[in-house]
Amino acid sequence: MGSSKVSILIPVYNRPDLIRRAVRCALSQTHGNIEVVIIDNCSTDNTWEVVKQLAAADSRVRCLRNTSNLGPLRSWRRGLDECRGDYIKILWSDDWIDDEFVADCLKLMHDQPAMGLVFTATLVHFKSRDQSHYIFPDRNVIPAKDYVIESLTLGNQMPVSPGCSLVRRDVAQFQVEMPENVELQRLAERTGAGADLLFLLNAAARSEWVGHVPRYLSHFLASDTSITCNHGDDCNRAYELARKYFVDYLQPADWDFAFTKEVAKVVQPTGLKRIYQSLPHPIKRIVKRSFSYVGLTPRPRKVLGG
């Protein structure tokens, strides 16, 4: 495990103070073989000067600067292209991770070589309270297809951002071009939302297993500069469109899901019945509502009363 190189990619724009904390927690990982790649999206304040100072202070830090603002999505892809590690950790510049994040995620991945994605429990920090997300104490290893199903049907109860995840390099990719959906393309280019969820769905779809560390090792800051706080409606719309886009254009050829809006009643897909029956009753109610809302059905779809 110690020989695996991990790239921690930190995209940043106009955050000269917060970037220090992000880099500090990245360099404090108990896993020793890391590199920190900072991509500055042509900040208009002194962020770039701070980034250069951080890189000069530690040889594990490399920094890049776009000559013009590329928007979040293309800046992320440029940063990802510069990563040299076997595994990728996306760390947003206003967030942080605990020292054991990389080591704990890597342990799961090394125990399951076909695992391409691991996510941890997460705390979202508001000014007056903390909010818990993505904590599943009894689920360390999840079949990748089950993870995708839950991401499609349980909404934001599953991760929508790679900020709490570690991904194997060969399954890490940002979907930059989405010509089939102009609205999703516009929202992703403006906020990055939607493309971040597709990053996770694509990684899971190219893996056999997804891992979960039920410890609060990831920390998201809810602040005035957060995209999700400033553009919440746009982000939620982008995630809705991204789920549909994945099913319509990106799911593996041997999967059989389709979204339909006209469905009145949905027959549970046969392949999902075992998963559905094993869920706790409160989760079943959520899944049932989600199926009715998004119309997730197998191909060919079976509709009753419609």
Side-chain angles (χ1 to χ4, degrees):
M1 185 169 69
S3 62
S4 297
K5 186 169 187 175
V6 176
S7 297
I8 301 179
L9 172 62
I10 309 179
V12 65
Y13 176 74
N14 284 2
R15 283 176 174 161
D17 297 324
L18 291 173
I19 187 64
R20 296 181 186 274
R21 180 178 61 189
V23 172
R24 183 168 62 249
C25 75
L27 294 175
S28 298
Q29 293 300 298
T30 57
H31 179 77
N33 192 5
I34 65 166
E35 67 166 2
V36 178
V37 179
I38 307 173
I39 177 75
D40 176 45
N41 198 13
C42 198
S43 292
T44 58
D45 56 11
N46 67 326
T47 296
W48 179 237
E49 284 66 34
V50 173
V51 167
K52 288 190 293 183
Q53 292 170 11
L54 294 168
D58 195 306
S59 61
R60 294 174 294 172
V61 179
R62 290 190 292 123
C63 58
L64 311 159
R65 186 171 194 261
N66 299 326
T67 56
S68 62
N69 191 308
L70 303 180
L73 184 52
R74 285 175 172 77
S75 186
W76 299 348
R77 183 176 68 173
R78 185 190 174 204
L80 182 62
D81 289 344
E82 294 289 334
C83 291
R84 303 166 181 168
D86 306 300
Y87 299 88
I88 305 295
K89 166 73 187 111
I90 309 293
L91 178 61
W92 309 126
S93 56
D94 56 344
D95 297 338
W96 67 97
I97 51 177
D98 286 357
D99 295 352
E100 302 85 9
F101 177 94
V102 169
D104 282 15
C105 291
L106 273 183
K107 185 179 186 307
L108 268 179
M109 286 182 151
H110 284 201
D111 290 344
Q112 293 281 351
M115 182 177 289
L117 165 69
V118 174
F119 68 100
T120 77
T122 302
L123 286 175
V124 179
H125 300 274
F126 295 86
K127 288 182 178 180
S128 59
R129 62 186 175 90
D130 296 337
Q131 191 174 82
S132 169
H133 288 268
Y134 320 136
I135 177 81
F136 308 105
D138 301 321
R139 304 183 70 193
N140 295 109
V141 179
I142 306 168
K145 193 171 183 179
D146 291 5
Y147 171 88
V148 170
I149 291 169
E150 292 179 37
S151 293
L152 294 173
T153 59
L154 297 184
N156 294 355
Q157 294 184 55
M158 298 297 285
V160 295
S161 164
C164 62
S165 304
L166 184 72
V167 180
R168 209 174 61 224
R169 181 65 181 90
D170 64 308
V171 300
Q173 62 176 11
F174 280 112
Q175 189 77 24
V176 174
E177 302 295 338
M178 293 160 276
E180 301 89 350
N181 193 312
V182 175
E183 184 182 5
L184 176 58
Q185 182 80 52
R186 177 181 60 81
L187 291 170
E189 289 181 350
R190 181 186 176 197
T191 67
D196 50 359
L197 174 58
L198 290 175
F199 180 92
L200 294 175
L201 292 174
N202 281 329
R206 297 170 65 190
S207 309
E208 291 184 29
W209 304 99
V210 171
H212 173 57
V213 179
R215 296 178 59 203
Y216 293 108
L217 301 178
S218 302
H219 301 267
F220 296 170
L221 180 65
S223 70
D224 295 338
T225 64
S226 300
I227 294 292
T228 50
C229 291
N230 286 327
H231 304 283
D233 290 342
D234 283 348
C235 290
N236 288 332
R237 175 60 175 164
Y239 293 136
E240 177 186 347
L241 294 171
R243 292 183 180 98
K244 184 178 188 304
Y245 189 87
F246 174 83
V247 169
D248 288 346
Y249 301 107
L250 301 177
Q251 66 170 312
D254 58 341
W255 291 12
D256 58 355
F257 302 126
F259 275 101
T260 62
K261 292 186 176 179
E262 70 276 11
V263 175
K265 296 181 181 179
V266 178
V267 176
Q268 296 292 340
T270 303
L272 306 184
K273 190 172 294 184
R274 175 184 56 80
I275 300 169
Y276 178 79
Q277 293 298 333
S278 68
L279 294 173
H281 287 293
I283 300 299
K284 283 183 180 178
R285 289 196 295 270
I286 295 171
V287 171
K288 188 175 181 180
R289 288 198 301 269
S290 299
F291 270 85
S292 299
Y293 174 67
V294 300
L296 180 63
T297 64
R299 292 192 182 100
R301 67 177 184 267
K302 300 177 181 178
V303 182
L304 297 178

